[in-house]
Amino acid sequence: MNPIDSQAEALLNRMTLAEKIGQMRQISGFAPDHVETVRQGRAGSFLNVLGADPETLQRVARQETRLGIPLIFGRDVIHGFKTVLPIPLGQAASFNPDLVREAAQMAAREAASSGIHWTFAPMVDVARDPRWGRIAEGYGEDPFLASRMGAATVEGFQQAPAGGYRRRTPAVPGIAACPKHYVGYGAAESGRDYNTTLIPERTLRSVYLPPFQACVKAGALTVMSAFNELNDIPATGHQFTLRQILKREWRFRGFVVSDWGSVVEMIQHGYCADAREAARTALRAGVDMEMVSTAFADHLEALVTEGQVPMAWIEEAVRRILRVKLLLGLFNPERRSTPNPSVQGSPEHLQMAYRAAVESCVLLKNEGVLPLPPSLRSVAVVGPLADSPTDQLGCWAPDGDPRLTQTVLQALQECFGEAYVRYAPGVRSCRDPDSSQIPAAVDAVRNAEVAILCVGEDAGLSGEAHCRAFLNLPGAQEQLVAEVASTGRPVILVIMAGRPLVLGPILPIARAVLWAWHPGTMGGAAIAALLTGRESPSGCLPVSFPRAVGQIPIYYNHKNTGRPAPAGIREAPTGTPIDPKDFTARHLDVDVTPEFPFGFGLSYTQFRYGPTRLDRTRATALDTIRATASVTNVGRQKGATVAQLYIRDPVASATRPVRELKGFQKIWLEPGQSCEVSFEIGPGELAAYDAEMRWRVEPGRFLLWIASDSTCAGLSPAELDVRDM
Ligand code: BGC
């Protein structure tokens, strides 16, 4: 037994039942009577306590309880702490896991300096429905991208090197990560938060589980169970996903915390009669610590005494919790340095937030107006998000310090000189229907050479319980864009939002569109640098943008159907099809494609991708082959492209998507420069769950593309023939 396990065991042997159950309770917020609860050993963790209170509680736990077991303090450090990074969906758009890892390291440093040991992040719920408000908190629609980003974030929070620790480490120097919400939460029907999910096992294992598994492999110390029910069983009471898959199949050795009240919500779900049954059900399924609700604290003791809950279940949970506390060094106060908030908002951290914001922005359209020439002498800055320090931080940034925020207005004034920038918000806030200030904005634009319109969603339009049925610009913003554009001045849209929006009529009237998500503290500086060409846009979409809400769910890795809509029809048909050859899988009133596809993003230069070549065209199911393509910067500026490897298995015993992302690399090239980009493809990339749910590479033909987005437009695939050995 390793030292951590034997220490946990030794402690466990000395604990009373009440103390064991105490470890399994997490309390939110501080109240004076919590001190006594801690003193009696009846709490193992707190969330949402900051300042002097955690120190008081920890001192009592260490010095005044029978066994001196320290508390673990959790907090939602989702995308930064005082210094706020782009929302996770924006970070995913960087397609740069190294950057994302570094960003999480920064967030962990700031959080740890306020005494936090544990963050409830990353959220790795694959989300294919932009109506769902929490799409902002995760990494988008693709399991491969979400796995890479989730693992990098776990490594960053826990301060592990890329690829995790080589050997098992007795200590985790960072803060504990908590991939969430296990599992299926992002598949909520109609994008309504907390709603029912129905996910067949193959889809669960192919789409929703891989990012969690990647986080577990990266060493995540905890996992959070979800609010939703999954195939008729609440995720917090789900033995198959928690006990069977997470704990048995993946050998997860950390602990599972329930989401806020999700244990007792099993009563509302119609799965448990009362809190007592909910406590037993959650524990049996594999929940080790209960967040906020008190079913464990209120009922476990009686359940054990009456023989309804075996002591072994309790001990397993407590063993896991103690192990995490030991790994984090909480028993060793010297290893946990005293809080030192001076790192918060430091120049290095602001620089990190700036880099992350630069790489997360996606250039969606540019009719030659960007980058802006520095010689401009009259720039109109319009829109409710041009100077909104808090909205720019996005959802789930409870500790973000808006005083550190650099807004787009401030940054553009710095670039061009205050005298040359005319500011008129046009509408007061994103959701405001009042259009009385639009004429003033139109006047400002009429007298300017160019209009930069910062529009989109305020921070409160995404995040938990913030779902939308309409995905257009809210309030009077569409009117603002239309009236400003009617001046004939070139309009550049800078859109901040927590999700993809339906751009509809405003897209054709904009000369350029820069998608900034909610870019965080340094968003303004990053956007100004991108607009003026000091930085080059390099982000790509981690999620498809629908043309209409009725297309949702729309995602690149869909199935082909028996009647795929013919490729290349860009226009919506005008009437009801009468010819059976037009009876295809499409809507009558909208093009079958998304407005912008997954993986798409422009740069200020252009890239040419050569054909995808394989080092051999025949292989066995166990071989690893290499796919290569040449990429050339054929434009006039330095820039980055994200080379993306897609595969397709066109015939399989259980059908496969039309494309699946299996690799990506961000490459920077000088004008005229070429490089060869290559990817290794082995069983890990080609295998899937077959008709019998076996994970294997099925013999047959595979198609492979190296391309700059998921459409792989204009590129013919390389073919690989996989034969039985
Ligand atoms: C959310 C979690 C979050 C928790 C603690 C819940 O409402 O679903 O994602 O970590 O609250 O704040």
Side-chain angles (χ1 to χ4, degrees), residues 370-391:
L370 293 178
L372 297 171
S375 55
L376 287 181
R377 284 294 163 263
S378 177
V379 177
V381 177
V382 173
L385 293 171
D387 195 29
S388 185
T390 307
D391 284 320

Side-chain angles (χ1 to χ4, degrees), residues 154-426:
V154 167
E155 288 160 3
F157 283 141
Q158 298 190 175
Q159 309 286 10
Y165 297 105
R166 286 273 137 71
R167 269 180 278 127
R168 291 212 169 278
T169 163
V172 172
I175 63 174
C178 184
K180 68 187 187 186
H181 306 83
Y182 192 80
V183 55
Y185 186 45
E189 279 183 359
S190 79
R192 199 152 44 81
D193 212 358
Y194 319 118
N195 204 5
T196 307
T197 67
L198 287 164
I199 309 176
E201 188 181 342
R202 190 188 322 283
T203 314
L204 189 68
R205 288 191 184 268
S206 316
V207 177
Y208 293 92
L209 285 170
F212 285 95
Q213 191 174 12
C215 289
V216 168
K217 277 195 186 149
L221 290 180
T222 71
V223 166
M224 187 187 292
S225 72
F227 286 129
N228 56 291
E229 65 169 64
L230 167 67
N231 304 335
D232 310 322
I233 294 172
T236 291
H238 214 290
Q239 292 191 62
F240 176 60
T241 54
L242 287 168
R243 181 127 345 248
Q244 170 61 27
I245 296 180
L246 176 69
K247 291 188 169 176
R248 292 214 184 98
E249 289 182 24
W250 299 350
R251 298 173 203 272
F252 171 65
R253 297 202 61 208
F255 71 82
V256 174
V257 64
S258 62
D259 201 350
W260 188 289
S262 65
V263 172
V264 292
E265 285 177 20
M266 289 198 284
I267 303 168
Q268 292 284 6
H269 275 290
Y271 191 62
C272 295
D274 50 27
R276 182 183 150 95
E277 190 184 334
R280 185 175 186 279
T281 303
L283 182 60
R284 184 188 55 185
V287 172
D288 304 301
M289 182 185 279
E290 183 180 6
M291 182 189 282
V292 180
S293 54
T294 55
F296 280 9
D298 296 342
H299 300 288
L300 283 182
E301 201 159 341
L303 283 163
V304 172
T305 318
E306 292 161 25
Q308 299 290 311
V309 160
M311 184 64 104
W313 293 3
I314 306 266
E315 292 194 337
E316 188 211 305
V318 178
R319 195 176 281 123
R320 288 169 178 272
I321 294 165
L322 292 175
R323 223 181 137 259
V324 168
K325 290 185 173 183
L326 285 159
L327 282 167
L328 284 171
L330 301 184
F331 286 82
N332 179 353
E334 297 85 69
R335 241 202 68 202
R336 287 273 139 196
S337 55
T338 38
N340 166 26
S342 69
V343 299
Q344 297 171 2
S346 69
E348 297 77 35
H349 288 191
L350 293 177
Q351 179 60 19
M352 179 72 243
Y354 169 80
R355 278 169 47 216
V358 165
E359 290 207 36
S360 71
C361 289
V362 186
L363 183 64
L364 293 178
K365 177 176 179 180
N366 185 15
E367 289 178 348
V369 280
L370 293 178
L372 297 171
S375 55
L376 287 181
R377 284 294 163 263
S378 177
V379 177
V381 177
V382 173
L385 293 171
D387 195 29
S388 185
T390 307
D391 284 320
Q392 190 176 309
L393 304 183
C395 63
W396 270 124
D399 300 296
D401 185 350
R403 289 166 308 179
L404 294 172
T405 303
Q406 291 196 19
T407 66
V408 181
L409 177 66
Q410 290 161 354
L412 286 172
Q413 284 171 336
E414 224 167 84
C415 279
F416 291 104
E418 231 171 288
Y420 301 124
V421 173
R422 293 156 196 269
Y423 170 56

